[in-house]
Amino acid sequence: MKSILASIACSACIVFLSLPFNAQSQSFSKGVGKEPAMLKAGVNFVWLSENDSQGLMFSNSFDHYLSDRLAVGLSLGLLSAKRYDEAKEIYTVQNTFYMASLEATFDILQNESVAFRLGAGPTARHRAEINSDPEDEGTQDGSVTHIKTSDVGAFGFIENDFNILRNGVAGGRIAYFHYSEGTPVLSIGMHLGFKF
């Protein structure tokens, strides 16, 4: 008798747990497909206008669709940028940023092969910076200043995705990050990922 009750309870739990998933899958049956989440890795060229330095940013992002076109996500990144002074023959600026962002996106265009979206959200970074032209902060070491601090701000971006293979996506992104302190960041790059 106990085994019969246990099997009925187990079956009821399986049916109950599968209901939200089935409803969610049906709501994403057009446009996005049955896969309401995306995981992407990207590489971006960055330009830091205040220090006139350039470099690369590597990022990973996870997005989850709440409806056919609206999604929320999390992005983590590592940025490295430098400026070389040929007269002094030294790097006058070296930046290393650890970045994290929350994002909300809306798909303006969406069909079976391509998606085009706008997004924005809050962002934070921890920066380790070596700068020969300090702004009254950091620790002086000879001709350069070492700065270690954190900043918060906001960012916005334009992005597109092309469907590749069965569940793959590839595309590009242009983003602008503005922070309460320190230099803003303009990034242009490409990403590769998959939907699940």
Side-chain angles (χ1 to χ4, degrees):
M1 182 69 176
K2 286 184 179 179
S3 62
I4 294 173
L5 289 176
S7 64
I8 291 173
C10 184
S11 299
C13 285
I14 291 170
V15 169
F16 178 74
L17 291 174
S18 67
L19 287 176
F21 176 76
N22 290 337
Q24 188 179 38
S25 296
Q26 290 170 6
S27 69
F28 291 101
S29 60
K30 46 185 183 169
V32 178
K34 290 187 275 186
E35 301 82 13
M38 279 189 289
L39 186 64
K40 295 181 278 192
V43 60
N44 303 270
F45 173 79
V46 294
W47 182 58
L48 285 65
S49 59
E50 198 171 282
N51 294 329
D52 192 26
S53 58
Q54 298 88 31
L56 291 176
M57 177 175 68
F58 300 93
S59 63
N60 290 307
S61 63
F62 172 78
D63 292 291
H64 182 77
Y65 276 88
L66 302 176
S67 69
D68 283 352
R69 294 182 181 266
L70 181 66
V72 294
L74 171 68
S75 180
L76 302 173
L78 171 66
L79 179 151
S80 178
K82 297 179 181 181
R83 180 182 69 195
Y84 186 75
D85 189 324
E86 294 189 13
K88 295 180 180 178
E89 296 185 344
I90 62 169
Y91 285 104
T92 54
V93 175
Q94 295 186 54
N95 304 101
T96 302
F97 297 164
Y98 302 95
M99 306 168 71
S101 306
L102 295 174
E103 59 189 42
T105 64
F106 183 78
D107 290 4
I108 296 173
L109 170 67
Q110 186 183 80
N111 58 37
E112 292 180 5
S113 58
V114 67
F116 181 77
R117 67 182 58 91
L118 297 175
T123 183
R125 71 179 173 191
H126 177 75
R127 57 186 166 110
E129 192 172 296
I130 297 172
N131 197 327
S132 64
D133 186 21
E135 298 178 357
D136 299 327
E137 58 179 331
T139 305
Q140 189 70 27
D141 177 20
S143 62
V144 296
T145 299
H146 295 266
I147 300 167
K148 290 189 177 183
T149 187
S150 297
D151 310 307
V152 294
F155 81 111
F157 64 89
I158 300 169
E159 179 181 75
N160 70 325
D161 281 332
F162 295 97
N163 293 332
I164 56 174
L165 303 176
R166 184 172 178 174
N167 290 324
V169 291
R173 176 187 279 206
I174 300 172
Y176 182 76
F177 297 80
H178 185 78
Y179 294 93
S180 57
E181 298 288 338
T183 183
V185 177
L186 175 66
S187 74
I188 301 172
M190 301 185 324
H191 57 261
L192 189 65
F194 62 94
K195 300 179 286 187
F196 59 96

